[in-house]
């Protein structure tokens, strides 16, 4: 019914445009033109009706009409104008017919139909917003994201957010008005703008802003006592669309943001599109994010392999909701079980494998070194050998900065896993690529300090830090996963790729940031205590060993570690390691690891052993 009314209104207004054009062109309607005016108008009705239906003009939501709707209207009217220009040429042979009338008529129709739509939208926006203002918001960033979210606020006053001004450091935007909201100054003007505009909330609307900018906004907002929130970073906004629903509290990863990574999407799609992709450890922080990122590149199928059924179940539900078109299989399995793993490879025939399954908790692996060997080394060997057997095109092994000059069993086991992948690369057939990707801590992963600190803050403290000078490299999970995909795309067999982690972060500073983000002050509201370095830990992590060195890759954020060498007698050393792990002798396991990784420096074993 509603569509029918819109159809008739569009047809009526477009039809009226024809006689109006004649009147405007002829400054009235002389008697000799009246017949041709009737003929021209009546002939146009069926054509206009067909064009309205063909372009779906009657299906447009006038209360929410946008630029694309108006472009579609312009195409319909323009097409009609071209057809009616032909009518005018034909009619001119029999009647006096000004050939400019179709052009004038098209312009009038565009104004009448477009004006009606804009009028309806303005009416509804005014009706929805009448008497509703809500929280006064100062938007930091007058770019595409900022203007988009400001318009969303104005269109949806029921959300209780009302933009009162923009701040932007671009001098060309100073004084401009976007959706009726002025750019009132730069970021340094925030305190003054808050006071002048009676601001109640500051919104950071720059998805590409580095952490230094976010930190500055947070500090300025805290200083003047107003709430602050943020739009997600560029890694989270995969679709490029932003809206009110995405506004959230500032998180730690926002303060540590770096410049967005420029991905070579073509290179990534080249090895993922149309392929069967297997992800081990798919329920973990990195594994699950790899699945999300892989889904963007239209794989033939994704096999989610893991042994934690709860995390796999949650990931499955997320994929059902967010990627309904994705073909995937959830497989509960352990990479240590070679027979089970072989059946999975035989059934699904993966072409690309991301190996993220591993034990990563340093103190726990110090106490249980045999488990680190079975999972991190033997599990990796199972995956590598099956990739060789089944002709997998590309294997990407997820490694860690703790594999460099390791002081822990976990780090040494991951270094041996790199060696296993390098051995596999030496056995690979032409066209097969086996690589490892090494990076530091990821924010928000289940094994990181961030969830621990947040839980301690929630309990009222104290927050426990091992050492005041403890430093770690940090990266957000989406950024790490995207760079892993990119490293896999570079695809030089046998390489160990190292992700550019930026500058290391002092854990003490990270703890203070988390306390402040909770609206509290360190040492005043929440105490910080130092507990001492735990077994296997070191103050500073390294991404490269001194003897390795580095060289540039094709990507600015990815480096290549030189010489991932496999030690002589590698297979025999591995079997010896497995045998000692089965015996459960922790000291002998550490000694065997040191024979495989000479740079391993475990406590209690002399440097020469």
């Amino acid at each position: 019914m509603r569509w029918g009314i819109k159809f008739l209104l569009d047809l009526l207004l477009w039809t009226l445009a024809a006689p109006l054009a004649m009147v405007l062109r002829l400054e009235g309607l002389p008697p000799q033109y009246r017949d041709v005016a009737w003929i021209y108008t009546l002939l146009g009705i069926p054509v206009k009706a067909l064009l309205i239906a063909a372009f779906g003009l009657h299906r447009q939501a006038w209360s929410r009409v946008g630029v694309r709707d108006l472009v579609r209207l312009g195409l319909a009217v323009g097409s009609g104008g071209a057809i009616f220009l032909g009518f005018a040429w034909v009619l001119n042979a029999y009647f006096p017919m000004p050939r400019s009338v179709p052009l004038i008529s098209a312009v009038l129709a565009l104004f009448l139909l477009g004006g009606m739509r804009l009028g309806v939208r303005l009416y509804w926006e005014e009706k929805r917003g009448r008497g509703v203002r809500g929280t006064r918001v100062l938007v930091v960033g007058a770019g595409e994201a900022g203007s988009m979210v400001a318009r969303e606020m104005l269109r949806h006053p029921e959300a209780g957010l009302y933009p009162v001004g923009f701040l932007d450091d671009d001098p060309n935007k100073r004084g401009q008005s976007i959706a009726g909201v002025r750019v009132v100054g730069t970021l340094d003007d925030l305190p003054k703008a808050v006071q002048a505009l009676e601001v109640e909330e500051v919104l950071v609307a720059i998805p590409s802003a580095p952490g230094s900018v976010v930190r500055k906004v947070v500090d300025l907002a805290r200083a003047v006592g107003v709430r602050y929130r943020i739009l997600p970073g560029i890694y989270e906004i995969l679709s490029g669309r932003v809206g009110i629903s995405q506004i959230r509290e500032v998180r730690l990863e926002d303060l540590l943001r770096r410049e967005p990574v420029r991905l070579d999407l073509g290179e990534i799609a080249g090895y993922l599109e149309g392929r069967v992709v297997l992800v081990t450890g798919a329920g973990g922080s990195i594994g699950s994010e790899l699945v999300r990122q892989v889904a963007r590149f239209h794989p033939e199928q994704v096999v989610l392999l893991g042994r934690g059924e709860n995390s796999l179940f949650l990931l499955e539900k997320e994929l059902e909701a967010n990627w309904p078109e994705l073909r995937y299989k959830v497989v509960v399995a352990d990479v240590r079980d070679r027979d089970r793993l072989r059946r999975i490879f035989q059934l699904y025939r993966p072409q690309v494998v991301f190996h993220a399954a591993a034990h990563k908790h340093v103190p726990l692996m110090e106490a249980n070194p045999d488990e680190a060997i079975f999972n991190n080394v033997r599990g990796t060997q199972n995956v590598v050998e099956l990739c060789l057997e089944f002709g997998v095109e590309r294997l990407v092994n997820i490694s860690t900065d703790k594999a460099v000059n390791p002081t822990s069993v976990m780090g040494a086991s991951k270094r041996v896993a790199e060696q296993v992948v390098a051995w596999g690369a030496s056995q690979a057939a032409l066209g097969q690529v086996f690589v490892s990707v090494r990076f530091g801590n990821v924010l928000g992963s289940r094994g990181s300090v961030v969830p621990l600190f947040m839980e301690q803050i929630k309990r009222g403290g104290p927050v426990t830090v091992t050492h005041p000078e403890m430093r770690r490299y940090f990266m957000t999970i989406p950024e790490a996963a995207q760079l892993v995909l990119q490293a896999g795309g570079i695809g030089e067999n046998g390489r160990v790729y190292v992700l550019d982690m930026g500058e290391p972060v002092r854990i003490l500073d990270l703890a203070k940031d988390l306390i402040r983000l909770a609206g509290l002050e360190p040492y005043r509201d929440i105490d910080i205590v130092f507990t001492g370095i735990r077994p296997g830990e070191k103050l500073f992590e390294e991404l490269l060993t001194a003897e390795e060195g580095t060289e540039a890759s094709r990507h600015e954020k990815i480096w290549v570690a030189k010489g991932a060498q496999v030690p002589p007698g590698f297979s025999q050393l591995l079997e010896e390691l497995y045998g000692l792990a089965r015996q459960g002798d922790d000291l002998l396991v550490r000694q065997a690891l040191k024979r495989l990784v000479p740079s391993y420096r475990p406590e209690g074993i002399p440097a020469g052993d």
Side-chain angles (χ1 to χ4, degrees), residues 19-30 32-34 36-37 96-98 100-101 104:
L20 282 174
M22 295 280 283
V23 170
L24 286 173
R25 170 65 179 82
L26 301 170
E27 299 180 359
L29 193 60
Q32 65 269 31
Y33 286 98
R34 287 175 185 168
V36 73
M97 177 70 186
S100 59
V101 166
I104 299 169

Side-chain angles (χ1 to χ4, degrees), residues 278 303 305 331-334 337-350 386 390:
L278 169 68
V303 181
L305 188 149
V331 178
V332 178
D334 192 328
D337 185 344
R338 183 185 169 85
D339 292 338
R340 167 79 169 134
L341 207 56
R342 192 178 190 282
R343 291 196 298 274
I344 293 164
F345 270 73
Q346 199 163 25
L347 178 62
Y348 296 107
R349 300 282 173 171
L386 289 168
F390 288 90

Side-chain angles (χ1 to χ4, degrees), residues 246-495:
Q246 292 172 298
I247 296 173
R248 58 165 172 77
E249 301 298 325
V250 176
R251 299 174 188 158
L252 182 64
E253 54 263 39
D254 299 315
L255 303 183
L256 300 177
R257 269 191 208 166
R258 301 189 294 162
E259 292 292 333
V261 174
R262 289 187 292 275
L263 296 176
D264 185 342
L265 299 178
E267 188 172 66
I268 298 172
Y271 79 96
L272 291 179
E273 192 170 351
R275 304 297 205 283
V276 177
V277 180
L278 169 68
V279 181
T280 72
S285 306
I286 289 294
S288 60
E289 186 61 30
L290 282 170
V291 171
R292 295 181 194 100
Q293 300 286 348
V294 166
R296 300 169 57 197
F297 294 95
H298 311 294
E300 171 67 23
Q301 187 178 41
V302 183
V303 181
L304 285 58
L305 188 149
R307 62 180 183 178
E309 74 272 21
N310 289 331
S311 53
L312 286 174
F313 173 77
L314 293 174
L315 180 59
E316 182 179 23
K317 293 303 165 189
E318 181 185 336
L319 293 177
E320 285 176 3
N322 298 335
W323 304 94
E325 74 287 352
L326 179 69
R327 291 184 63 229
Y328 64 88
K329 290 290 182 181
V330 178
V331 178
V332 178
D334 192 328
V335 293
R336 297 179 297 185
D337 185 344
R338 183 185 169 85
D339 292 338
R340 167 79 169 134
L341 207 56
R342 192 178 190 282
R343 291 196 298 274
I344 293 164
F345 270 73
Q346 199 163 25
L347 178 62
Y348 296 107
R349 300 282 173 171
Q351 295 155 292
V352 179
V353 173
F354 291 97
H355 179 45
H359 285 321
K360 305 178 183 74
H361 200 284
V362 171
L364 284 178
M365 291 306 100
E366 285 303 299
N368 303 275
D370 49 346
E371 283 299 309
I373 302 308
F374 296 140
N375 200 57
N376 294 0
V377 182
R378 180 76 247 191
T380 300
Q381 187 176 356
N382 288 341
V383 171
V384 168
E385 289 176 349
L386 289 168
C387 285
L388 289 169
E389 180 182 345
F390 288 90
V392 168
E393 297 172 9
R394 202 159 305 219
L395 165 66
V396 181
N397 171 52
I398 308 301
S399 191
T400 170
D401 57 356
K402 292 173 178 62
V404 183
N405 290 329
T407 59
S408 66
V409 169
M410 193 282 279
S413 68
K414 291 297 285 181
R415 185 64 176 273
V416 177
E418 288 183 3
Q419 294 173 348
V420 171
V421 174
W423 170 83
S426 70
Q427 309 297 310
L430 187 66
Q432 284 186 295
V433 174
F434 291 25
V435 299
S436 292
V437 181
R438 190 186 290 167
F439 55 92
N441 299 280
V442 288
L443 286 169
S445 68
R446 289 183 299 192
S448 78
V449 297
V450 175
L452 172 64
F453 286 172
M454 290 174 70
E455 184 61 33
Q456 290 174 337
I457 292 167
K458 193 184 296 183
R459 291 200 305 261
V463 171
T464 56
V465 177
T466 54
H467 192 282
E469 291 304 318
M470 180 76 72
R471 281 176 165 81
R472 290 290 181 269
Y473 291 99
F474 282 101
M475 181 180 277
T476 64
I477 295 173
E479 182 183 11
Q482 288 178 14
L483 283 173
V484 167
L485 296 190
Q486 188 72 73
I490 295 173
E492 296 176 29
N493 190 33
R495 295 290 200 178

Side-chain angles (χ1 to χ4, degrees), residues 8-21:
L8 291 173
L9 283 172
D10 276 343
L11 186 58
L12 176 63
L13 289 174
W14 200 349
T15 301
L16 284 174
L20 282 174

Side-chain angles (χ1 to χ4, degrees), residues 22 33 36-37 40 87-89 91-92 95-102:
M22 295 280 283
Y33 286 98
V36 73
Y40 177 72
F87 281 2
W89 277 94
L91 288 172
N92 196 49
F95 301 98
M97 177 70 186
R99 288 191 289 269
S100 59
V101 166

Side-chain angles (χ1 to χ4, degrees), residues 133-141 146 149 153 156 158-163 187 190 199-207 209 213-222 225-233 236 243-251 254-255 257 517:
R133 278 294 181 256
T135 303
R136 297 174 66 83
V137 180
L138 180 64
V139 182
V140 177
V149 79
M153 291 178 192
H156 300 282
E158 67 274 10
L161 299 171
Y162 180 68
L187 183 51
L190 189 147
V199 170
E200 298 169 276
E201 181 176 318
V202 174
L203 173 66
V204 184
I206 317 172
V213 172
V214 179
R215 186 181 295 274
K216 184 176 180 179
V217 174
V218 169
D219 290 343
L220 289 171
R222 280 174 57 85
V226 293
R227 185 185 183 191
Y228 49 86
R229 290 198 290 171
I230 195 169
L231 282 175
E236 298 175 68
I244 296 173
S245 62
Q246 292 172 298
I247 296 173
R248 58 165 172 77
E249 301 298 325
V250 176
R251 299 174 188 158
D254 299 315
L255 303 183
R257 269 191 208 166
L517 286 175

